[in-house]
Amino acid sequence: DTATTEIYLFPYTTLSDLEPVEAFTRARQRTLAILDSCSAEDLAASTAAPGLGRVTVADIVAHMLAHDTERLGALTILVQSA
C-alpha cells in the first residue's frame, strides 16, 4: 500500500531532518483515519498471522502502539544527543 511504501522505501540518508517525520505523520494519519472508522466488531475480527497464530485487529493496533512508542523513544534519544 502507498502508506507502507512511503515509509519503508524512503532514501533516509538523502532527506532533510524533518522529511522522515513528516512521511511517518502522513502515514500514521491515514492509518488512524481507517481505525477511527472501525467498529468494535471490526476490531475484534481475527486472522492467522505467520509466526503469531490468531490475532485480532485490536492486537495489531496494540502492536503498532508499542512499536511507535519504542521508535519515538529512540528518536527522542537521537535528537537529544545531536
Side-chain angles (χ1 to χ4, degrees):
D1 93 329
T2 304
T4 302
T5 302
E6 183 175 2
I7 293 298
Y8 292 110
L9 298 182
F10 258 15
Y12 286 105
T13 57
T14 64
L15 298 177
S16 73
D17 293 342
L18 292 179
E19 285 178 293
V21 173
E22 291 166 349
F24 173 84
T25 300
R26 285 190 303 274
R28 186 54 76 231
Q29 286 170 338
R30 286 190 296 268
T31 301
L32 291 174
I34 292 166
L35 291 172
D36 194 41
S37 70
C38 289
S39 66
E41 184 177 290
D42 294 333
L43 294 172
S46 66
T47 189
L52 297 176
R54 206 97 193 127
V55 295
T56 65
V57 174
D59 294 331
I60 295 168
V61 172
H63 176 77
M64 289 170 55
L65 175 61
H67 178 266
D68 288 359
T69 301
E70 180 183 332
R71 294 294 173 223
L72 290 171
L75 285 171
T76 300
I77 292 168
L78 183 63
V79 167
Q80 289 174 344
S81 67

